[in-house]
Amino acid sequence: MNRIIKIAVLALLLNLNSQSFFAQQIQNDTSQEFQFKKNEVQTQQILKENHKILDDRIDALKKEQKELETKKKNLTKAENNLKSTKDKIGKLEIANQKIENKITTISVSEEELQKQRIKTKENEVAIHKLKLTQMNQEKELEKAMSAI
């Protein structure tokens, strides 16, 4: 009988030991699962923060790109305006030369001569105005170039 009691106690202890082992195993599994979920949540938060940082940087770069494009357009516009003004000055100077040649080579009436001289003076005034405009445009061009 003593032996049966020992065997029963031993069986009971083994049963309790195995239940303790299974309970400990379940607790370890639960702990690992909890740690895994916690790590996953942290990873998602870090990813979200990194995406926000990248999105902000992309927005800043897009804004900077638009500003550079605007500056480039302003530079092109200033260059074109300056070129146009130089062309106008050249045309008026050529027109004055033609008028002067006409006055000196062709004999014309005094009235026609006065008209031609008035036209020459008008062209000279226009040339001076355009040269002032040209100076302003050169300053604008320098400003546009320094902005880039």
Side-chain angles (χ1 to χ4, degrees), residues 62-127:
K62 284 180 180 179
K63 183 180 178 184
E64 188 177 322
Q65 182 181 12
K66 284 181 182 180
E67 289 173 0
L68 285 174
E69 288 173 357
T70 301
K71 289 176 182 178
K72 184 179 175 184
K73 286 179 184 177
N74 289 341
L75 177 62
T76 303
K77 184 179 177 183
E79 288 173 341
N80 290 340
N81 287 343
L82 183 60
K83 184 178 182 253
S84 173
T85 301
K86 285 180 179 180
D87 290 345
K88 288 177 185 177
I89 290 171
K91 287 178 183 178
L92 286 173
E93 287 174 343
I94 290 171
N96 271 358
Q97 287 175 354
K98 287 181 181 178
I99 291 171
E100 289 295 329
N101 286 341
K102 189 176 182 182
I103 291 173
T104 56
T105 58
I106 301 173
S107 58
V108 290
S109 67
E110 190 62 33
E111 184 180 325
E112 185 64 29
L113 186 65
Q114 290 299 323
K115 285 181 184 178
Q116 295 300 325
R117 286 196 175 136
I118 290 172
K119 181 66 176 163
T120 303
K121 294 293 181 187
E122 287 174 351
N123 285 347
E124 286 175 5
V125 169
I127 288 171

Side-chain angles (χ1 to χ4, degrees), residues 42-65:
Q42 286 177 339
T43 302
Q44 290 300 323
Q45 282 180 324
I46 291 170
L47 280 173
K48 189 176 180 180
E49 289 171 6
N50 287 342
H51 280 287
K52 184 177 178 357
I53 290 169
L54 287 174
D55 288 342
D56 291 345
R57 182 67 180 141
I58 288 170
D59 290 342
L61 288 173
K62 284 180 180 179
K63 183 180 178 184
E64 188 177 322
Q65 182 181 12

Side-chain angles (χ1 to χ4, degrees), residues 2-59:
N2 204 6
R3 202 172 190 182
I4 294 177
I5 293 176
K6 283 183 179 180
I7 292 176
V9 168
L10 185 60
L12 182 64
L13 285 175
L14 283 176
N15 189 18
L16 287 175
N17 242 359
S18 68
Q19 286 179 353
S20 171
F21 175 76
F22 286 125
Q24 191 175 19
Q25 185 66 31
I26 290 171
Q27 185 178 9
N28 283 345
D29 289 348
T30 306
S31 175
Q32 287 175 349
E33 190 175 314
F34 174 75
Q35 188 64 34
F36 178 77
K37 286 182 180 181
K38 183 179 172 185
N39 289 343
E40 192 174 322
V41 167
Q42 286 177 339
T43 302
Q44 290 300 323
Q45 282 180 324
I46 291 170
L47 280 173
K48 189 176 180 180
E49 289 171 6
N50 287 342
H51 280 287
K52 184 177 178 357
I53 290 169
L54 287 174
D55 288 342
D56 291 345
R57 182 67 180 141
I58 288 170
D59 290 342

